[in-house]
Amino acid sequence: SDTGDVSLLAISSALVLIMTPGLAFYYGGLVQVKSILNTMRMVMICVGLVSFLWMTIGFTLAFNGNFDNVGLQGLTESIWPGTNIPGLLFATFQMTFAVITAAIISGAVVERIRFGAFMMFISLWILCVYVPLCNWVWGGGWIHQLGAKDFAGGAVVHISSGT
């Protein structure tokens, strides 16, 4: 693997992940005082919940369309095809986008949905909306086969989050 590619992707992953607490504070500032903590909690739960779902089953379905890498199995020693990047780092980088996308959605439902219902909604949304869209655009699916190029993540992140 190329140290420059690895360094850039690791730093980029950290920066995207740092955006999540920033989004929590931003959304917290947009709501009534009584809803600040719940709003920030909804954003921050996305880090743990979405990370778990992505690492267990989301990544393998999004990028392989099968169960070959369930639990990120087989990625620790491999280089992601077509890149100089370790497979585990690639999965982590993609996970950060899944996290921030789910956190963006929380802004649409603050003060309208209970916390438990939000967790259930995000779990279903990640697996039923975000993962298939990732497969279509980045994982070799039908949108990718049409020739679409999504270098900045706009197609998957913004279309799936409704922004």
Side-chain angles (χ1 to χ4, degrees):
S1 63
D2 181 5
T3 56
D5 291 347
V6 170
S7 299
L8 179 65
L9 207 60
I11 290 168
S12 298
S13 297
L15 290 173
V16 172
L17 202 55
I18 289 171
M19 288 170 29
T20 307
L23 189 63
F25 282 107
Y26 175 71
Y27 283 167
L30 295 177
V31 296
Q32 298 175 25
V33 173
K34 67 180 184 174
S35 300
I36 291 174
L37 289 179
N38 190 52
T39 300
M40 294 178 77
R41 191 170 58 155
M42 287 170 73
V43 173
M44 293 308 296
I45 195 65
C46 292
V47 175
L49 182 61
V50 173
S51 295
F52 174 77
L53 291 170
W54 186 256
M55 289 182 186
T56 54
I57 198 164
F59 176 78
T60 191
L61 291 175
F63 286 91
N64 296 330
N66 57 37
F67 298 102
D68 289 348
N69 298 114
V70 169
L72 302 181
Q73 182 179 349
L75 292 178
T76 55
E77 301 296 326
S78 67
I79 300 296
W80 191 252
T83 69
N84 293 324
I85 299 164
L88 195 56
L89 179 60
F90 180 77
T92 302
F93 178 69
Q94 295 298 335
M95 178 197 69
T96 62
F97 285 102
V99 167
I100 196 71
T101 305
I104 289 169
I105 288 178
S106 71
V109 298
V110 294
E111 298 181 329
R112 293 181 181 92
I113 190 172
R114 291 179 181 258
F115 185 73
F118 174 74
M119 287 178 43
M120 182 64 73
F121 169 72
I122 287 299
S123 298
L124 292 171
W125 177 86
I126 280 290
L127 297 175
C128 298
V129 176
Y130 189 81
V131 166
L133 193 55
C134 280
N135 183 274
W136 297 343
V137 176
W138 294 328
W142 67 275
I143 296 175
H144 183 265
Q145 291 173 1
L146 289 174
K149 300 290 183 202
D150 183 25
F151 297 111
V156 176
V157 173
H158 294 289
I159 290 172
S160 66
S161 67
T163 57

